Amino acid sequence: MTRSDEIISVRNIYKVFGSQADTAMALVRAGASKAEVFEQTGQVIGVFDASFSVMRGEIFVIMGLSGSGKSTMVRLFNRLIEPTAGAIFLNGREITGLNDKDLLQVRRKDMGMVFQSFALMPHMTVLENVGFGLQISGVAEKERNSRSITALRQVGLAGQEYCYPHQLSGGMQQRVGLARALANDPAILLMDEAFSALDPLIRHEMQGELIKLQQQQDRTIIFISHDIEEAVRIGHRIAIMEGGRVVQIGTPRELLCNPANDYVRTFFNGFDSSRILKAGDIAQRDAQIVYMPGRETPITADTPIKDIFGTVARASAPVPVVDAAGAYQGCISQGRLLSYLGGH
Ligand SMILES: Nc1ncnc2c1ncn2[C@@H]1O[C@H](COP(=O)(O)OP(=O)(O)OP(=O)(O)O)[C@@H](O)[C@H]1O
Ligand SMILES: [Mg+2]
């Protein structure tokens, strides 16, 4: 059973790269780690016992160091890579069991993919590149062109239809890649480091476009990134991968406030946590302090901490924090607030 708001559900997925997958899986089932399996068999485990769900309409970011299994994971979703064990459900239907014909339908209708490299055909115009997937699916030229023009408009490339890729900047080429995926109008967009090759300004702009598109169309987006700034900006939830495993999934605030391990914590090194934390996240209980309702003006727990600097700076004592119902949560001293500025 899967829940109706789950669009993808991943259950105990493993991917072993190598010719002795069975031997590797037997070792895994006997309790061996990824490193032990590699040592004993030379088999590389790309994804190790991953289980999680992606919700309809969310931007789900997958982060992790190079080689942690991010690309393998998203390629398992559309079965560009076949899992060694486990199951993946799309809208409650097991895609790991689909025949070739049904799988092709899923790839055409349900999932679009945008890669890091633009992968445009140099001899085709922008319009032809965007319509290429539709052409393969047998969509007639008139409809193909109209859907491609709509997609180009969505990514801010109206008027560039008859250019060739070499006439466009890198950022524009990446937009063409995005338009090509959008032209299919897939329910799920898989984006593997799609913005990593772009320079910072264009990248920022593309992130903004993506957020806007997702708000307008309520698409589910699965986005791989190396960059915590990008992940926090666009992600509703972030999954952190380490050595093939998904070590933690949560909202940026959840990961920042309660990192599962040092590996997760490291991603936030140098990150300005005041951008996402709220007063309730940093309030501390202090046995010495007794909160007197009515006498002090409290801060509500959901106030962004960037909005409380003045209040805390002017206060002669730690400022009390209360939840929506007025219940005391703890207090924030000037020292406590300072320790959260500019990365902690
Ligand atoms: N086709 C393959 N054959 C053998 N091993 C592979 C193959 N594809 C990936 N791997 C291995 O699986 C592991 C996960 O690779 P993957 O490409 O998923 O990592 P990634 O997190 O996407 O890394 P990056 O950030 O560098 O793109 C790595 O150890 C990699 O060497
Ligand atoms: Mg990758």
Side-chain angles (χ1 to χ4, degrees):
M1 273 296 287
T2 54
R3 286 173 31 203
S4 66
D5 52 351
E6 285 176 352
I7 190 158
I8 288 181
S9 171
V10 177
R11 304 282 169 80
N12 304 105
I13 278 284
Y14 290 84
K15 175 62 191 179
V16 178
F17 290 109
S19 52
Q20 300 168 46
D22 291 348
T23 319
M25 285 308 296
L27 284 170
V28 164
R29 300 221 150 90
S33 68
K34 173 179 158 132
E36 286 162 349
V37 169
F38 183 70
E39 221 167 82
Q40 292 175 37
T41 66
Q43 309 294 286
V44 173
I45 305 188
V47 171
F48 195 115
D49 196 17
S51 296
F52 59 91
S53 299
V54 178
M55 301 300 167
R56 203 175 303 283
E58 78 174 328
I59 303 187
F60 186 85
V61 175
I62 303 179
M63 281 197 83
L65 294 182
S66 184
S68 58
K70 308 178 296 294
S71 295
T72 306
M73 183 69 89
V74 293
R75 283 167 172 74
L76 287 163
F77 291 157
N78 59 3
R79 278 180 53 198
L80 283 177
I81 292 178
E82 294 287 348
T84 308
I88 298 177
F89 297 84
L90 170 68
N91 291 318
R93 181 179 181 214
E94 188 175 345
I95 53 166
T96 25
L98 294 182
N99 61 30
D100 288 353
K101 189 168 145 272
D102 292 340
L103 179 61
L104 203 61
Q105 281 299 101
V106 165
R107 287 198 189 136
R108 281 181 186 162
K109 291 212 156 52
D110 298 297
M111 294 196 213
M113 190 147 183
V114 188
F115 298 93
Q116 177 174 8
S117 63
F118 318 128
L120 303 180
M121 311 279 186
H123 57 283
M124 289 186 178
T125 63
V126 162
L127 190 67
E128 287 163 349
N129 264 291
V130 173
F132 188 57
L134 297 173
Q135 189 179 356
I136 291 176
S137 304
V139 176
E141 187 176 355
K142 199 159 165 246
E143 188 189 339
R144 206 161 74 213
N145 286 348
S146 113
R147 281 165 66 177
S148 301
I149 287 169
T150 305
L152 281 165
R153 200 176 305 133
Q154 284 169 354
V155 300
L157 279 185
Q160 312 288 326
E161 290 81 3
Y162 299 101
C163 293
Y164 285 87
H166 75 268
Q167 297 172 303
L168 304 180
S169 70
M172 290 162 96
Q173 290 182 36
Q174 188 57 292
R175 284 169 193 262
V176 177
L178 181 56
R180 183 174 51 195
L182 290 173
N184 256 326
D185 198 21
I188 303 171
L189 204 51
L190 305 174
M191 303 183 69
D192 191 349
E193 309 250 11
F195 300 158
S196 302
L198 305 177
D199 74 53
L201 275 182
I202 308 273
R203 185 173 180 169
H204 197 261
E205 198 179 292
M206 288 296 287
Q207 291 162 357
E209 295 280 348
L210 192 72
I211 294 168
K212 213 166 70 194
L213 276 173
Q214 197 267 356
Q215 285 165 348
Q216 287 163 357
Q217 303 181 330
D218 209 25
R219 210 184 294 280
T220 305
I221 298 174
I222 299 171
F223 192 101
I224 295 180
S225 180
H226 264 107
D227 176 10
I228 190 70
E229 297 287 336
E230 180 168 76
V232 168
R233 176 152 189 239
I234 68 171
H236 297 122
R237 288 191 304 153
I238 302 174
I240 308 269
M241 290 192 73
E242 178 182 21
R245 288 181 182 272
V246 175
V247 289
Q248 192 171 10
I249 298 181
T251 62
R253 270 175 75 207
E254 285 164 354
L255 299 188
L256 180 61
C257 295
N258 293 302
N261 59 19
D262 281 344
Y263 176 83
V264 176
R265 192 173 289 119
T266 308
F267 280 99
F268 287 94
N269 278 350
F271 179 79
D272 176 7
S273 35
S274 67
R275 280 176 37 199
I276 55 173
L277 291 182
K278 310 218 164 162
D281 297 327
I282 69 166
Q284 274 177 313
R285 292 272 180 182
D286 184 335
Q288 309 289 312
I289 294 173
V290 182
Y291 170 51
M292 311 272 271
R295 215 183 62 185
E296 299 173 79
T297 313
I299 295 171
T300 47
D302 64 355
T303 313
I305 68 173
K306 62 178 171 41
D307 296 341
I308 65 174
F309 296 160
T311 310
V312 175
R314 280 189 300 271
S316 51
V319 179
V321 175
V322 296
D323 67 12
Y328 179 63
Q329 301 289 299
C331 59
I332 301 175
S333 65
Q334 291 171 354
R336 176 79 170 167
L337 183 58
L338 277 175
S339 72
Y340 278 87
L341 301 183
H344 76 120

